[in-house]
Amino acid sequence: MTATTTPPDVPDLDDDAGVAEEAEELLELVAQYQRLNRAQRRRIAIAASPEMRTVLAGVERDMALKRSPRSMSAILTDGKEKHDALGREVGEPLWPIRYGKKALAKIRRAVGERVWWSLYMQKPRPLEGGVWKWAWIIDHRLTPMQFRGVDLTRIIVAVDTAGGSDDVNDETGLWAGGRDANGHAYVLADWSGRMGADTWGHAACRLAIELSADAIVVESNCGGDMAKQIARRGSPGPP
C-alpha cells in the first residue's frame, strides 16, 4: 500500500503580483488625494460611497496627525467648513484623539479669544471681528415700525470683491448702509455671498435700485477700475 501525502498549499504568484499592483495603485491614488486642497477633497468625499468615505476619513486622520496642531483649525466652525464631508457637527473637535472638547475649552480659556482664533483656528481675529461686536448690533437693532421714523439723507451700496465664486475664495461683500441727518448710520441690507463678477455686478445694481441708493462704492486697491466697469455693465440704465 502506497502512502500518499497532500502537497502543501503553494501561493499563486500571479495573485500576489496582482495584489501588489493594486496596492501600488491605491497608494498612488492616496498620494494624489493628499495633494488636493481642502475644497477638492471635500467634493470627492461627498461623491464617494460610504465605504470609500470611511477610507478617506482614515486618510484625513493620518494627514492631521502629521501636521502641527497649530497648522489647522481645532474645531469645526460655521464658516467655510459648515458642509463637512465627514458629517461632523459644528463645534466638534477636528482632532479628538489628541484634543477633545474639554482640552480645547481649557486652552481657549487660558490663551484668550484673540490667540485662540489666531493660533488654533487659523483666523487672526475673533469670529465676531476685532472691531464690531455682536452686542452692538443686537442692542441697537430697530424694528420696522421704529425705522419708519428715520429719514435717511444718504444711502450707499458697497462691494468688496473676491477672487471668484468657488469654495476656495472668500465671499464677495455686498452691503447697503444709510446715514441720517444726525450722523447715525444704519445697516440696510447684506447680500454677501460667493459670487462671480457676472453675478455681483447685477446684484449690486438691483440692491441700489431697490433702496434708491445714491452711489455704489467699490474698493480701489483690488481691481477698482474693473469693478467699476462691472457695476456699470450690471446697471439696466445708462452708466
Side-chain angles (χ1 to χ4, degrees), residues 15-113:
D15 288 346
D16 286 350
V19 171
E21 185 176 346
E22 291 179 1
E24 290 181 1
E25 292 178 355
L26 179 59
L27 291 175
E28 177 59 27
L29 289 175
V30 168
Q32 294 178 9
Y33 176 83
Q34 292 174 331
R35 288 193 290 267
L36 300 175
N37 61 42
R38 183 170 56 185
Q40 292 170 326
R41 298 201 308 270
R42 184 188 301 122
R43 287 194 289 268
I44 290 175
I46 292 174
S49 65
E51 294 80 8
M52 181 55 67
R53 193 173 297 177
T54 301
V55 174
L56 296 179
V59 174
E60 291 284 348
R61 183 170 58 252
D62 291 341
M63 292 171 63
L65 291 173
K66 294 176 182 178
R67 300 174 184 164
S68 163
R70 294 186 178 182
S71 66
M72 57 183 291
S73 298
I75 62 174
L76 190 70
T77 69
D78 57 354
K80 293 182 179 179
E81 304 91 350
K82 62 184 178 181
H83 301 296
D84 183 57
L86 302 181
R88 294 167 296 193
E89 298 294 331
V90 171
E92 290 295 318
L94 298 184
W95 197 353
I97 296 176
R98 183 168 181 180
Y99 293 100
K101 285 186 176 181
K102 291 183 178 179
L104 292 173
K106 184 177 180 180
I107 293 173
R108 186 171 183 173
R109 288 194 301 269
V111 302
E113 288 298 295

Side-chain angles (χ1 to χ4, degrees), residues 213-237:
D214 299 287
I216 297 177
V217 179
V218 295
E219 60 177 344
S220 61
N221 63 337
C222 183
D225 291 340
M226 179 184 67
K228 287 189 291 185
Q229 294 175 10
I230 293 172
R232 290 192 178 103
R233 287 202 301 269
S235 174

